[in-house]
Amino acid sequence: MLTSFFSDAEVKAAQELINQSNNVVILTHMSPDGDAMGSSLAMRHFLEAQGKQVAVIVPNAFPDFLAWLPKADQDIIYETQRAEADALLDHADLVICTDFNDPKRIGSLGDKLLTLPCKKMMIDHHLHPASFPDLTLSYPSSPSTCELVYRLITSLSPISNSPQGVQYPIPNTQEIATCIYTGMMTDTGNFSFNSNYPEMYQIVGDLVSLGVNKDEIYNRVFNAYSADRMRLMGYCLYSKMRIFPEHHTALIYLSRKELYRFNFQSGDAEGIVNLPLQIKDVYYSCFMREDKVNPTEVALAGGSKTKIKISLRSQGNRPVNVFAKDIFGGGGHANASGGEYYGPLPEAVQLFIDNYTKYFAKE
């Protein structure tokens, strides 16, 4: 049996919120990744199996390599389908927030969220959750929100016999398991960080026993890039990577002009931040890319038309989440964090250079 993350009171409160609802909207963060997509879609399948009317709303478009996830094609994109999304939110009696801890993580959709009179539930694993939900299921010790969704679903559902002891007595079991596994895999870099504890692999075993084809999921996510994306990676390593050897740190940054040169598509930057960590004695990596401020972020941008998306990774007991929070207003896991900077790319780069030595230790 798995160790319980949730108290009996939390499980009871979640069940009551679900029982009392008919129209449920699930939200997740801007630029949705595998954990965001997996957790929101897994909850959708679970709730639909109980007869609920469910919609998933994402602030902006998700990468093509996640478009195959069951019912991802039915996600409503707030940036381009705002009227439809607002109508669904206005009629919701429960909103479930997955994989984000603060309304600012969903842009102008966050302003809408805070005005809603309906009940709200948060399922998340990032530090310092905001206080707006009626029920907060926040466990930063969990490597992924998808793992929390798995634990919640199994706490809410009777369990009967299967090879690993788990079998949902509901439809859509394989779809739920596929979504959950995808998020667990992507949020741990295919189980290469934040993944060194046995219960994670017990859950993986349960998911495989429920019909997950882990090899196919890996291929769909990690072996589905374009030739342009491969050329972009080569350009990053050959022309754009800076190494700061005293602090075992690497930095890569790309302008919109450079991204355009390589026909950049949503998702093409995935994994670039991890590449320098393959270099001996590089323990910290930062990747920055310039983007336009989209309509859901205007209030956050403070007049800037440029946003810098920042990703941080590290190895071992070398946290980057405090740096992400203090310098770029972001956060995340100890070894995998991120943030945004609204302003010119050179300013964001200089901000990194001026501050990284205070956070990334010499060794």
Side-chain angles (χ1 to χ4, degrees):
M1 292 292 292
L2 296 175
T3 303
S4 177
F5 272 34
F6 306 121
S7 68
D8 291 344
E10 286 175 325
V11 173
K12 181 180 178 182
Q15 187 67 75
E16 288 177 352
L17 286 176
I18 292 169
N19 289 346
Q20 293 165 6
S21 67
N22 292 304
N23 300 306
V24 182
V25 172
I26 302 171
L27 306 178
T28 195
H29 59 72
M30 288 187 290
S31 303
D33 56 10
D35 197 28
M37 292 292 290
S39 58
S40 59
L41 289 168
M43 284 301 297
R44 174 178 187 155
H45 287 289
F46 174 66
L47 294 171
E48 285 182 339
Q50 299 181 53
K52 309 297 182 182
Q53 294 295 315
V54 187
V56 175
I57 300 174
V58 295
N60 56 355
F62 51 84
D64 286 344
F65 63 79
L66 296 172
W68 60 272
L69 283 167
K71 292 201 173 181
D73 61 332
Q74 297 181 26
D75 278 10
I76 296 164
I77 299 173
Y78 197 67
E79 188 175 10
T80 57
Q81 298 170 277
R82 186 163 187 159
E84 182 181 355
D86 282 346
L88 287 165
L89 287 164
D90 288 338
H91 288 90
D93 41 33
L94 175 63
V95 171
I96 299 177
C97 305
T98 65
D99 201 38
F100 70 94
N101 61 348
D102 193 287
K104 71 179 183 180
R105 295 289 314 281
I106 57 174
S108 59
L109 183 51
D111 297 331
K112 178 70 176 180
L113 171 65
L114 294 177
T115 67
L116 298 174
C118 65
K119 297 291 186 179
K120 305 173 186 71
M121 180 195 309
M122 177 192 292
I123 310 172
D124 183 54
H125 69 140
H126 298 98
L127 294 169
H128 313 302
S131 59
F132 69 89
D134 299 277
L135 175 62
T136 298
L137 303 176
S138 174
Y139 286 84
S141 58
S142 175
S144 66
T145 298
C146 274
E147 181 174 321
L148 292 175
V149 167
Y150 173 87
R151 290 173 179 272
L152 179 62
I153 288 175
T154 54
S155 295
L156 294 171
S157 302
I159 298 175
S160 56
N161 293 328
S162 77
Q164 294 289 332
V166 175
Q167 181 177 325
Y168 306 125
I170 57 174
N172 305 331
T173 297
Q174 186 170 349
E175 288 85 352
I176 293 170
T178 294
C179 293
I180 290 171
Y181 180 83
T182 301
M184 290 178 64
M185 178 187 73
T186 53
D187 235 35
T188 59
N190 196 32
F191 306 102
S192 64
F193 53 82
N194 296 331
S195 57
N196 194 34
Y197 77 106
E199 285 196 350
M200 172 178 287
Y201 301 96
Q202 181 181 338
I203 294 171
V204 168
D206 291 344
L207 296 173
V208 171
S209 76
L210 292 168
V212 163
N213 186 332
K214 58 181 291 295
D215 298 336
E216 180 183 358
I217 292 174
Y218 179 91
N219 282 325
R220 284 176 177 258
V221 173
F222 292 114
N223 293 334
Y225 294 113
S226 67
D228 284 326
R229 194 261 186 181
M230 298 300 290
R231 294 187 179 100
L232 174 63
M233 291 172 65
Y235 174 73
C236 287
L237 294 174
Y238 185 75
S239 300
K240 299 297 296 185
M241 182 172 65
R242 296 178 62 179
I243 303 291
F244 304 92
E246 262 197 18
H247 290 267
H248 307 277
T249 297
L251 171 64
I252 297 172
Y253 51 93
L254 294 171
S255 68
R256 285 174 57 202
K257 183 177 180 180
E258 289 169 312
L259 294 169
Y260 180 80
R261 174 183 169 187
F262 291 94
N263 302 308
F264 183 79
Q265 303 295 318
S266 176
D268 281 355
E270 191 75 20
I272 289 176
V273 68
N274 296 315
L275 296 176
L277 297 178
Q278 299 176 39
I279 301 170
K280 183 180 179 182
D281 295 330
V282 171
Y283 307 138
Y284 303 93
S285 177
C286 178
F287 173 63
M288 299 183 182
R289 65 175 176 88
E290 185 182 40
D291 199 357
K292 290 190 297 184
V293 172
N294 68 54
T296 67
E297 300 172 298
V298 171
L300 293 173
S304 174
K305 295 183 178 180
T306 303
K307 174 182 75 172
I308 312 303
K309 179 70 176 176
I310 297 146
S311 299
L312 294 152
R313 298 291 185 272
S314 63
Q315 295 180 344
N317 188 25
R318 303 175 182 94
V320 289
N321 53 346
V322 177
F323 176 83
K325 180 177 183 296
D326 290 353
I327 306 305
F328 293 110
H333 320 304
N335 297 117
S337 299
E340 288 86 30
Y341 180 82
Y342 294 96
L345 179 60
E347 287 185 7
V349 171
Q350 193 59 50
L351 193 59
F352 176 88
I353 291 171
D354 289 345
N355 289 280
Y356 82 96
T357 60
K358 305 168 191 174
Y359 292 84
F360 300 167
K362 290 184 178 181
E363 297 184 29

